[in-house]
Amino acid sequence: MTFAPSLDLGLVNTIAAESKMSFIDGTKGVLEYVGIDIDSLARNSTFEETTYLLWNSRLPNQSELDEFTRQIQAEYDPPNEIWDLIKRIPTDAVPMHALRTLVSALSLFDPEADDPSPEANHRKSIRILAQCPALIAGYDRHRKGKDFVEPDSSLGFAENFVTLLTGDKPTETMQKAMDVCLILHADHGFNASTFAALVTISTLSDMYSAVTTAIGTLKGPLHGGANEAVMHMLKEIGEMDKVEPFIKGKLERKEKIMGFGHRVYKAIDPRATYLKTFTKQLAEDTGNLDLYEMSNKIETIMKAAVGARGIHPNVDFYSATTYYSLGLDIDLFTPLFVMSRISGWAGHCMEYLQHNSLIRPRCDYVGPHEMPYVAMEER
Ligand code: ACO
């Protein structure tokens, strides 16, 4: 193999592997899962079906979907030790720290944790995905001093999550909104957290370690944590009249506006386009139209100021208002992203392992050479 290294800060120009899962055209604003446009999936699919698509490179027929859904439902309930562990987490912990810890802890109670076979990896992927709602909802109820709600294996994924969180079945609108958000966030090429998962799995570590790595990576405000940052920004702005001075002031100080810009999209992120329309109705129905209108105004100001530089709303910009309109706590927004993206992380890990190669880039050493070792007393 010839080695012709070149410096590529942020891996902006590096293609690290082939994948059949998601396709992004950042110039045209296109996102497809296995060739199917994200808009069609958001309108017609469910999270379970979309996950099957990502993991199997095709849509399931009815009996395949029923069987896959049954496999997920059968794993909704985490081991008792995990429910006990949730009760020991400090009630003021940041939910992302709690979730990362709990997903890691799941491995302690899975006899297959270190079985590297494709079949075991598939079963573990289902388990991690299926149990994530109970971990998020369980911790949220614990911190609020509420009793846990038992998972219900007769419910779909989105419905089970809302029931675990609130104790009540979701309305049809809420269930559809959850499903849409889960579908839109399920996969997105080699984003930072997916790549982090791949680095871990490429060492032939295990699925739990890979997903735990990815959760830590998604947490940052430049990645999945941006949805929470957007909501805090909207709250800080507070009213329509303050939008313009707030945004312009930030831009003048060269500060970033959360929920805008993307490493790949230089046109509008198609997930944001879909969510924008969807959220307007939801915000109207739930009395949060002011948030939607504030967001719309920010988008207009940003378009005039930096649109020509390819900085547009990304998925996190309108998902913040969607989640808030659904009545979810702001610090649960990124855990919700985790719940969905496990689909992509696990799918990419299983796909990558079919042709595994250790991910190990080099650094460009720019320090000194041939330096003497100076004894302590002479320094
Ligand atoms: N607001 C204002 N200016 C921006 C923004 C923004 N949101 N994003 C990029 N820019 C500007 C930068 O200041 C920089 O300007 P300069 O050339 O004058 O220094 C230029 O655009 C390039 O920005 P980079 O951060 O170098 O570009 P990169 O491709 O690394 O950025 C990123 C991608 C990190 C997402 C960036 O747009 C950002 O920080 N956005 C805000 C955080 C955010 O919303 N993240 C969520 C992304 S979607 C997701 O992960 C699910």
Side-chain angles (χ1 to χ4, degrees), residues 126-140:
I126 287 183
R127 248 169 244 147
I128 302 170
L129 182 80
Q131 292 173 13
C132 191
L135 305 183
I136 298 171
Y139 173 66
D140 188 57

Side-chain angles (χ1 to χ4, degrees), residues 52-115:
Y52 186 101
L53 170 72
L54 289 167
W55 291 5
N56 296 279
S57 304
R58 64 175 176 82
L59 287 169
N61 64 31
Q62 190 62 56
S63 67
E64 287 167 332
L65 178 60
D66 292 346
E67 173 55 17
F68 186 61
T69 305
R70 194 201 56 72
Q71 288 171 358
I72 296 173
Q73 289 168 330
E75 298 286 357
Y76 277 165
D77 200 0
N80 288 338
E81 292 87 342
I82 293 290
W83 289 110
D84 290 341
L85 181 60
I86 294 175
K87 290 187 197 148
R88 299 171 69 99
I89 297 179
T91 50
D92 60 352
V94 169
M96 280 297 281
H97 287 301
L99 182 58
R100 191 193 57 242
T101 304
L102 290 166
V103 168
S104 178
L106 287 178
S107 66
L108 305 173
F109 309 101
D110 187 340
E112 293 194 307
D114 279 317
D115 182 340

Side-chain angles (χ1 to χ4, degrees), residues 222-223 226 256-257 259-263 309 311 314 316 337:
L222 294 189
H223 191 13
K256 284 182 173 172
I257 309 299
F260 281 82
H262 199 277
R263 176 59 67 78
R309 294 177 59 200
I311 300 169
N314 59 51
D316 284 326
F337 197 158

